Amino acid sequence: MAARSGAGRTVAVIGGGFSGTICAIHLLQHLRGDDRVVLIERERQLGRGVAFATAEPSHLLNVRAENMSAFPDEPLHLLRWLDRLPADERRQGAKAGAAGTFVQRGLYGRYVRDQLAAVLRAGRHADRLTILNDQATRLVRHGSRWHLATRNGRSLETDIAVLATGNFPPAPLPYAGCVDNPWQPEAVEEIDRDHPVLLLGSGLTMIDVVLRLVDRGFRSTVHVLSRRGLLPRTHAPAPVYADLLLDAEDRRSLVSLTRAVRREITRAEIAGFGWRSVIDALRPHSQLLWQELSPADRRRFVR
């Protein structure tokens, strides 16, 4: 497959989970009219990836729906989409409480797919998007362009390549009774409901596994081993904080940024807001803040 001739650029998005699908949507909306997008995904359904492929009703987003719009300039977009669902689906797929609305992760994957379908239904973008149900296997720079090869023998020349490959599955462990990938469909089904289980790690994946065990009638004891012994904390109400201030001096390093965020939390608390509202206010800026950090500061942040 060769890129279409003409003055426009070709952008290949490798990976069609949440990040790749949303990236393709925004590219179609903001690139020039003669540019085109190729979205490559080995699974048949787009917009899911590991995060939103789960069909478990108890697996909810860990971010309130008010902060999960696919479009930064329309923060209530997801809530409006939910409101258009039939009442039964909305009731089953979204749990509302004092801390906000939390959506089933599988339903959120459907929301992402619906946004791509809406872009294609609009007509003006349909002929600029090519979706390949395939797997990218090779990406090599040729002059000013990239040469991309796929598992099914396709060849594509592209001006820009976006890697949206998500999290790779963990390496298999050669131990009997050890589940190395908790996201496998059979991971929990093979566990004896009357035998104790040890979970390594106490983060959100641990919560998901425990919920799956409970939903399947697990009767024994779950032991959780963690380096720090900390559990995910529940959400609390977080009203919108619109007074966030971060200037160039605040953003010059990870240390100055950390101090600035603590300063903003103090300012917010004086005004009657909590730290959660400040963190939510950072969300639209997180990509820019990350790009501004030096490689050394990025490594420090991850460490």
Side-chain angles (χ1 to χ4, degrees):
M1 174 183 176
R4 187 173 58 187
S5 61
R9 297 165 297 174
T10 299
V11 181
V13 180
I14 302 171
F18 166 78
S19 296
T21 302
I22 291 296
C23 178
I25 291 171
H26 285 276
L27 285 170
L28 290 169
Q29 293 177 333
H30 297 293
L31 289 177
R32 298 189 311 240
D34 54 354
D35 294 331
R36 62 192 294 258
V37 177
V38 180
L39 181 58
I40 304 168
E41 169 56 40
R42 64 182 179 182
E43 302 294 337
R44 293 202 170 272
Q45 269 199 325
L46 297 170
R48 303 196 321 161
V50 174
F52 308 123
T54 175
E56 299 289 333
S58 56
H59 286 178
L60 305 179
L61 294 175
N62 66 325
V63 176
R64 52 178 65 84
E66 292 82 349
N67 299 119
M68 286 295 289
S69 168
F71 307 98
D73 54 344
E74 296 182 64
L76 300 182
H77 189 274
L78 172 57
L79 290 174
R80 289 198 293 267
W81 181 84
L82 289 170
D83 286 340
R84 292 194 294 271
L85 294 178
D88 287 347
E89 287 186 47
R90 186 169 63 250
R91 212 166 25 247
Q92 294 172 9
K95 312 299 180 185
T101 301
F102 295 86
V103 178
Q104 288 178 358
R105 294 212 295 272
L107 182 61
Y108 189 75
R110 175 179 156 193
Y111 163 70
V112 174
R113 293 191 295 277
D114 274 5
Q115 304 324 302
L116 181 62
V119 168
L120 296 179
R121 283 197 302 270
R124 64 185 184 278
H125 300 306
D127 62 340
R128 297 168 54 216
L129 174 67
T130 300
I131 299 174
L132 301 181
N133 182 205
D134 205 342
Q135 182 177 1
T137 56
R138 191 166 182 262
L139 184 65
V140 180
R141 188 75 168 177
H142 280 179
S144 63
R145 309 192 80 203
W146 292 94
H147 175 76
L148 190 151
T150 74
R151 182 175 296 280
N152 291 336
R154 293 183 172 97
S155 178
L156 171 68
E157 297 291 332
T158 181
D159 299 283
I160 300 169
V162 178
L163 300 181
T165 51
N167 296 320
F168 293 103
L173 298 173
Y175 307 115
C178 179
V179 176
D180 48 56
N181 184 356
W183 295 111
Q184 296 176 103
E186 67 277 10
V188 168
E189 281 70 7
E190 295 179 355
I191 294 176
D192 191 315
R193 292 183 296 174
D194 296 307
H195 284 186
V197 169
L198 171 65
L199 300 181
L200 302 182
S202 61
L204 294 169
T205 300
M206 179 274 293
I207 299 291
D208 287 342
V209 173
V210 170
L211 290 172
R212 290 179 69 188
L213 287 170
V214 170
D215 289 345
R216 281 155 181 74
F218 185 73
R219 294 184 288 262
S220 190
T221 303
V222 176
H223 303 277
V224 179
L225 183 64
S226 165
R227 287 179 297 171
R228 298 181 179 88
L230 299 176
L231 295 173
R233 302 181 70 176
T234 57
H235 282 268
V240 175
Y241 181 64
D243 198 27
L244 181 73
L245 297 174
L246 294 176
D247 59 25
E249 184 67 17
D250 293 330
R251 306 197 310 270
R252 63 184 172 82
S253 71
L254 182 59
V255 171
S256 61
L257 181 60
T258 302
R259 289 172 178 162
V261 171
R262 288 173 174 162
R263 179 197 69 215
E264 292 303 297
I265 289 173
T266 299
R267 289 181 60 242
E269 289 174 340
I270 292 172
F273 295 84
W275 62 266
R276 293 173 177 84
S277 295
V278 175
I279 299 303
D280 284 344
L282 284 169
R283 290 182 185 277
H285 312 289
S286 58
Q287 183 176 8
L288 176 61
L289 293 173
W290 179 258
Q291 290 172 343
E292 290 180 338
L293 290 177
S294 67
D297 271 346
R298 293 183 189 181
R299 288 192 295 269
R300 186 177 185 185
F301 179 88
V302 172
R303 187 172 64 247

